[in-house]
Amino acid sequence: MTPLQPVRGTHDIWPEESRRHRWVIDVFQSIAERYGFHEIATPIFEFTEVFKRTLGDTSDIVTKEMYSFTDRGGGEITLRPEYTAGIVRAFISKGLAQHLPLKVHGHGPMFRYERPQKGRLRQFHQLDIEILGVAEPLADIEVIAVAADLLKGLGIVDESELQLNSLGDGESRAAYRAALVDYLEDHRDRLSEDSLRRLERNPLRVLDSKDEGDLQVIAGAPPLPDYLNQRSKDLFAAVCAGLDELGISYCLNPRLVRGLDYYTHAAFEFTTRSLGAQGALIAGGRYDGLVEAMGGAPTPATGWAAGIERLAMMVDSVPAAPRPVAVIPIGEAAETTALRLAQSLRHDGFTVELGYRGNLGKRLKRANKLGACAAVLLGEDELARNAATVRDLDTGEQTEVALDSLTTHLARYR
């Protein structure tokens, strides 16, 4: 029989990697809560229409990457490929317009059928943060500040760069789109097949191409900032001024775009060279038209998402797990007392590993393998005196301690 294997593009997250993921999540949640964001969790699957409306029928995610199926009730269901659509759907379906502004954060698994590569899987995990109901540049500044503080908290801010651009309002985008199409039409013979399809359906997405021939064409394309109207320029200037005020450095990137029409004004990415081609760590921007596109009232919004796997790969080290105390019964008579004692110590705040089987040597060997700081030995002689022998596993020093004084004696190992 062929051994069972994980599905391609998925992997098991074992304790060491899991601790790195948890560290990323804990730092994120701590920072988000200090900024006044509240946690939200949306379903892992939604009706397919939720993502088609938000991501567009021509996007690669919708046309190539979504995990979609028909459930037993005949509904068209999709495993979520990103977080924002579900949050906006929840905002609309729960009728939360009266609770604006709404500041939420979340994290969890996402699913996309794409070629697995470093830092990119078919089941992956994201952090997400959103502000709904704030049109002022202060919202853009705040979500970027959360991202910058996250990278600082993880110790990787020096390995990243914030790239920033303005997509302008609808009027500005329309003017730029026309100029870009005129330019690209003059270079059709040099564009890849993917870019030719994008040129017909969603021209701004040509600027996302990684094809070498496309990149040469894109290098000569008109820059988007040249087509911003005055209002768009003023809003973007306010975002830049706010980041300057907070000491958050950035690089203006006129080629940074978002292909869908509901994206407006500030768009940004924190990127790194440490992960090779997959350099985006955090990506976000303003999407003032999304709520309306999904059937809600016009609602300004901004936010970002970050891949937990990529952030965890960059973190040099995470805080060590608490070293346990090993409670080791010697002989069957001591097992009941050891079980009761281990539970009591856990309730007192200790991390405790119970020695399950084997002679004393084997149980001590396992305790050392687990990194235990001390062993509490319970044999017949100790039980007769209502005591235990505590062995410091770093120094080898042993002390007999009365059971009712054990918590106090072990306090140094907590």
Side-chain angles (χ1 to χ4, degrees):
M1 182 179 293
T2 303
L4 293 175
Q5 298 293 326
V7 176
R8 185 169 185 255
T10 68
H11 77 303
D12 305 302
I13 304 175
W14 286 85
E16 180 60 31
E17 185 180 1
S18 184
R19 282 184 50 246
R20 297 175 77 85
H21 282 209
R22 172 51 57 186
W23 172 241
V24 170
I25 293 167
D26 287 348
V27 172
F28 167 69
Q29 290 183 318
S30 174
I31 292 169
E33 288 169 4
R34 291 205 300 271
Y35 277 80
F37 289 81
H38 302 281
E39 186 170 5
I40 186 173
T42 62
I44 288 177
F45 54 86
E46 300 267 2
F47 288 115
T48 300
E49 186 65 17
V50 169
F51 302 111
K52 283 190 173 181
R53 285 195 193 184
T54 57
L55 299 171
D57 288 335
T58 63
S59 72
D60 285 348
I61 295 176
V62 170
T63 60
K64 302 177 183 178
E65 298 173 3
M66 292 202 314
Y67 279 95
S68 299
F69 59 94
T70 302
D71 70 6
R72 293 183 180 182
E76 293 298 321
I77 305 297
T78 294
L79 299 178
R80 65 184 180 194
E82 56 93 35
Y83 224 131
T84 304
I87 290 176
V88 172
R89 191 272 311 149
F91 169 75
I92 296 171
S93 63
K94 291 294 184 181
L96 298 178
Q98 69 271 26
H99 296 286
L100 295 175
L102 189 66
K103 298 169 65 174
V104 296
H105 70 85
H107 67 89
M110 310 293 155
F111 305 85
R112 294 184 191 177
Y113 189 87
E114 56 185 348
R115 185 169 63 86
Q117 49 193 294
K118 185 177 181 180
R120 175 174 285 182
L121 297 164
R122 290 176 176 175
Q123 177 180 324
F124 58 101
H125 301 78
Q126 281 189 341
L127 309 172
D128 189 271
I129 202 159
E130 315 285 351
I131 298 180
L132 288 83
V134 182
E136 291 78 6
L138 285 175
D140 304 89
I141 298 164
E142 189 165 63
V143 296
I144 293 172
V146 173
D149 279 355
L150 170 63
L151 296 176
K152 288 178 186 176
L154 296 176
I156 58 177
V157 69
D158 292 338
E159 299 176 60
S160 66
E161 177 183 68
L162 170 58
Q163 298 186 17
L164 191 64
N165 193 25
S166 174
L167 308 177
D169 56 15
E171 178 184 78
S172 301
R173 284 174 67 94
Y176 179 65
R177 178 188 173 110
L180 180 63
V181 169
D182 286 344
Y183 171 80
L184 293 175
E185 286 288 356
D186 290 339
H187 297 83
R188 288 183 67 93
D189 58 330
R190 299 171 58 193
L191 293 175
S192 67
E193 290 186 11
D194 274 348
S195 287
L196 286 173
R197 284 193 292 269
R198 291 171 177 174
L199 177 57
E200 300 300 325
R201 298 179 176 183
N202 198 337
L204 266 66
R205 295 203 60 244
V206 174
L207 301 180
D208 290 331
S209 175
K210 302 299 186 289
D211 180 86
E212 288 297 330
D214 290 343
L215 290 174
Q216 293 178 19
V217 174
I218 293 167
L224 194 157
D226 290 353
Y227 294 83
L228 299 180
N229 57 25
Q230 192 57 50
R231 176 175 177 273
S232 296
K233 290 178 181 178
D234 291 344
L235 288 172
F236 189 57
V239 172
C240 293
L243 296 176
D244 291 338
E245 190 67 29
L246 296 180
I248 299 174
S249 60
Y250 53 88
C251 172
L252 298 179
N253 179 0
R255 306 297 183 200
L256 178 61
V257 297
R258 300 286 184 261
L260 300 172
D261 288 341
Y262 55 74
Y263 283 105
T264 60
H265 300 296
F268 58 90
E269 289 185 3
F270 283 87
T271 63
T272 182
R273 292 190 176 92
S274 300
L275 298 178
Q278 300 304 318
L281 295 174
I282 298 173
R286 180 166 284 278
Y287 52 94
D288 288 350
L290 179 56
V291 178
E292 186 175 11
M294 291 183 68
T299 306
T302 185
W304 55 256
I308 293 175
E309 281 84 358
R310 295 187 191 181
L311 293 173
M313 286 168 62
M314 291 188 63
V315 173
D316 287 334
S317 61
V318 299
R323 295 180 67 187
V325 170
V327 175
I328 299 176
I330 305 171
E332 290 185 14
E335 288 185 358
T336 299
T337 301
L339 181 65
R340 193 167 55 242
L341 179 61
Q343 194 73 345
S344 175
L345 289 173
R346 289 169 182 143
H347 290 167
D348 286 336
F350 294 93
T351 299
V352 178
E353 283 284 349
L354 188 60
Y356 300 115
R357 66 171 72 90
N359 58 32
L360 177 60
K362 288 183 177 179
R363 296 191 196 201
L364 283 172
K365 185 176 180 180
R366 180 175 183 271
N368 280 308
K369 185 176 181 180
L370 293 172
C373 53
V376 178
L377 309 178
L378 292 165
E380 292 184 9
D381 292 343
E382 285 89 354
L383 289 178
R385 295 189 293 274
N386 204 30
T389 297
V390 177
R391 179 183 296 183
D392 187 304
L393 293 180
D394 291 332
T395 66
E397 179 184 353
Q398 289 194 171
T399 307
E400 186 169 292
V401 181
L403 291 182
D404 58 7
S405 300
L406 197 56
T407 297
T408 301
H409 182 82
L410 292 173
R412 75 184 82 170
Y413 301 112
R414 194 192 307 269

